[in-house]
Amino acid sequence: ELHTANPENTLKLSDTLELTLRKFDSTGDHRLPVVESEDESRLIGWADHWAALEAMNKALIEVHVEEHH
């Protein structure tokens, strides 16, 4: 499927979680399209802001647990 969204409002498959959350914050969107890293015209799915926040929270908890064991 071809996709021609604004690159500032589009995530690449290779984007980090931190960059993903920054894009959600800057756009104010709740969902952002995800494109192939090598072929940005190829839409491969959608990222959900809530799911990204949950993933970040899980990662922070895991780091905290590792640091305190």
Side-chain angles (χ1 to χ4, degrees), residues 30-61:
H30 297 289
R31 287 180 28 156
L32 291 173
V34 180
V35 296
E36 288 281 355
S37 300
E38 299 80 28
D39 180 3
E40 295 180 28
S41 68
R42 184 171 167 82
L43 177 67
I44 57 172
W46 292 85
D48 178 81
H49 192 185
W50 185 250
L53 289 170
E54 287 180 327
M56 178 60 93
N57 189 48
K58 181 179 178 183
L60 290 172
I61 289 170

Side-chain angles (χ1 to χ4, degrees), residues 60-69:
L60 290 172
I61 289 170
E62 288 174 2
V63 167
H64 178 76
V65 168
E66 288 175 9
E67 288 178 351
H68 293 88
H69 277 112

